[in-house]
Amino acid sequence: MNGGLLVAGTTSDAGKSVVTAGICRWLVRQGVKVAPFKAQNMSLNSFVTREGAEIGRAQAMQAQACRIEPTAQMNPVLLKPGGEQSSQVVLLGKPVGELSARGYHGGRQQRLLGTVLECLAELRGTYDAVICEGAGSPAEINLRRTDIVNMGIARGARLPVLVVGDIDRGGVFASFFGTVALLSPEDQELVAGFLVNKFRGDVSLLEPGLDMLKDLTGRATYGVLPFRHGLGIDEEDGLRVSLRGTVRESNVSPPVGEDVLRVAVCAIPLMSNFTDVDALAAEPGVVVRFVDRPEELADADLVVIPGTRGTVRALEWLRERGLADALVRRAAEGRPVLGICGGFQILGEHIEDEVESRRGHVDGLGLLPVRVRFAREKTLTRPQGEALGERVEGYEIHHGVATVLSGEPFLDGCRVGQTWGTHWHGSLESDGFRRAFLREVAAAAGRRFVPAPDTSFAALREEQLDRLGDLIEQHADTDALWRLIESGAPQGLPFIPPGAPA
C-alpha cells in the first residue's frame, strides 16, 4: 500500500486537525504504517522534535495518533504570526526570516512547493499511507496561484481530497457545493467527497440533504461525525474559548481534597503554546480560566503568564490593563505566580530586545532576578531535569537568553518565594512534577486541595486519540475511505460550474 489523502475543509476550524488525527488512529489500529503531513501551518502553538526542529503541535499530536515520533518533514513550513502583517517563517524546523503576508504570498510561498513535495515524497516512501491536512479552505481563489497546502499539494502529489464541513456552524450544504464549484476542472477531479463534522441530532433527518448533495455534485459523503465534547486537542488557530471562559473543556471531576484550586491564565497578545495549561485542566478539582482583567486575579490560587511571540508587547498589555500591578501585589503577598517562556521573561528585571520588538532596553516586572537578551539564533531543545524532587521533561522555543542572577534554581529558570519562572514548555505534563507543584501552590494559597494520585496526562491524551479513532471507525464509511486512500479519487467525477475564475 502506498496511499494518501488530503483532508481539506470548508473553513478554518472545520475540524481538519482532529479528523486527520482520527483517520491516522483508525489506520494504525488496522495495522497500517501511517504518518501525518501538513505542508504549511500558521500557528503559535508549536512543538520541538527530538532532532531539534520546530513544527506545529497539531502535527505532533497527529504523529502521536500514528504512534510515531514527529519529524520536521511532517510540517515543512510553519508560519508564526508576529502581528497583523508579518510572520516568522520556519522552514524544515528552523527559522529563516520574517516576511509580510504580501511578501510571502507574492512569490516566496510558491518557491517552497518543491521542498514541500520532496518532504511528502520522503514520507510516502517510508510509510504505507500519509494523511495530509489542508489549511483554511481550498476555495480561497485569491491565493490559489501560489497555494502549496491545499489543491497545490493535491495536484502536485495526485492526492484525493476529502472536504470536511462543520455543520454546527450552519450552511454546510452550501459550503460543500460552493467549495467544489469554485475550483478549476483539474482541481475538481481530485475532490472525492465530503465528511460532515459536529452533527447533533437524528442522522436520518440529514440524509435527504446528503442525497441531494450527491445528485448536485456527483460526490458521496463519507460519513457524519457526531458532536463530541473534549476533542479539541492541540488546536493551531486559537483558544476555542472566550475570555473569562473555562479552558476549552476543562475537567469537571470533583476534587480529591476538600477544596478546588483556581488557576487564572493571563490571555496576553500573541499567546503561544496555550496548551501548556491543559495538563492543569486535566487534574480533578483544578479550574482553569483565561482572564484579561486585574479583578479576575483576586480569587485565583495560581496565576500563569504563558508564552508569547511578542514578549515586549505582552508586557505593555499587562501594564495597560492593570494586570502588571496586580501581579506585583500578588508576588509581594506570597501568592503563586508561574511564568512560562515569554511569561518568564516578563517577570525578570529587564529585557534587551533588538530581535523581536527591536525596542532595545525594556524594564520587566522585576519579580525575578533575571535579565533577558534576545538572540537572533532561536533555542530549540528538548531538555530533561529535576524539580521538586521529581523528573521533568519539556521543550524550549525562544529567542530570549536568560541570565539568572540569584534565587532558587527551578528547571532552567528560578524561583523567589512563590514566584516561579522557566523557559520549559510542557513541563506540567510530567505527572509527578505537576502533583508536587500543585501541592506547593495549594499550601501557599491555604487551600485544602489534594492532587489526584493517579492522573496520567499521557493516558488521557491516548484516550482522546482513541476517541477520535472511534469516531471514524463508527461513523465514517471506512470501506469507501480505505479505497480512497489506497486508490485515489474515483474516475469520471463531474465538473461543477462555474469553476475557478480565469
Side-chain angles (χ1 to χ4, degrees), residues 16 104 211 284 321 343 373 434 475:
K16 298 183 292 292
Y104 184 67
D211 292 339
R321 289 179 171 261
R373 176 186 56 81
R434 182 180 64 254
H475 300 282

Side-chain angles (χ1 to χ4, degrees), residues 16-255:
K16 298 183 292 292
S17 294
V18 293
V19 167
T20 300
I23 293 173
C24 287
R25 179 49 62 102
W26 162 65
L27 284 172
V28 81
R29 294 196 306 207
Q30 310 308 308
V32 177
K33 188 180 178 184
V34 59
F37 179 78
K38 185 164 185 175
Q40 173 193 293
N41 199 341
M42 177 171 278
S43 178
L44 289 173
N45 200 18
S46 59
F47 184 74
V48 178
T49 68
R50 295 220 176 269
E51 68 267 27
E54 184 180 9
I55 66 171
R57 268 197 72 100
Q59 280 60 66
M61 176 266 292
Q62 291 159 0
Q64 186 175 348
C66 298
R67 298 177 178 150
I68 59 176
E69 276 290 325
T71 67
Q73 284 74 24
M74 296 172 187
N75 177 207
V77 181
L78 174 63
L79 305 178
K80 303 193 72 175
E84 296 296 325
Q85 299 293 330
S86 67
S87 293
Q88 183 181 65
V89 180
V90 179
L91 180 61
L92 292 174
K94 303 297 181 184
V96 295
E98 296 272 343
L99 277 179
S100 67
R102 180 178 294 275
Y104 184 67
H105 291 287
R108 178 63 182 270
Q109 181 185 36
Q110 195 171 32
R111 292 197 295 272
L112 295 174
L113 181 60
T115 300
V116 163
L117 289 172
E118 286 172 9
C119 290
L120 178 55
E122 183 177 333
L123 290 174
R124 296 186 78 179
T126 305
Y127 294 90
D128 299 329
V130 178
I131 308 303
C132 308
E133 179 188 343
S137 163
E140 291 168 348
I141 54 180
N142 56 315
L143 302 177
R144 176 62 185 92
R145 182 179 62 82
T146 59
D147 171 55
I148 65 169
V149 66
N150 290 307
M151 300 313 299
I153 193 73
R155 287 267 293 278
R158 303 305 299 171
L159 292 171
V161 179
L162 185 68
V163 180
V164 178
D166 179 357
I167 198 169
D168 200 45
R169 294 183 172 188
V172 74
F173 292 115
S175 297
F176 281 146
F177 183 87
T179 296
V180 179
L182 280 176
L183 300 178
S184 69
E186 295 81 5
D187 286 351
Q188 287 193 25
E189 288 177 2
L190 295 172
V191 178
F194 313 106
L195 186 73
V196 177
N197 193 28
K198 302 181 190 175
F199 179 71
R200 306 173 191 248
D202 186 344
V203 176
S204 66
L205 299 176
L206 188 67
E207 287 171 349
L210 301 179
D211 292 339
M212 286 185 274
L213 182 66
K214 185 172 183 180
D215 290 341
L216 286 165
T217 67
R219 290 159 172 84
T221 296
Y222 283 71
V224 178
L225 307 185
F227 185 94
R228 291 288 187 267
H229 287 284
L231 296 181
I233 52 178
D234 289 4
E235 291 103 340
E236 59 191 42
D237 296 324
L239 293 175
R240 286 177 49 133
V241 67
S242 61
L243 292 179
R244 298 177 291 282
T246 54
V247 56
R248 294 200 299 284
E249 286 90 12
S250 187
N251 194 301
V252 293
S253 301

Side-chain angles (χ1 to χ4, degrees), residues 315 319 328 345-351 361-368 370:
L315 179 57
R319 286 179 167 136
V328 171
Q345 297 165 7
I346 284 169
L347 294 175
E349 295 177 358
H350 68 249
I351 299 165
H361 182 98
V362 178
D363 289 333
L365 297 186
L367 302 183
L368 289 177
V370 174

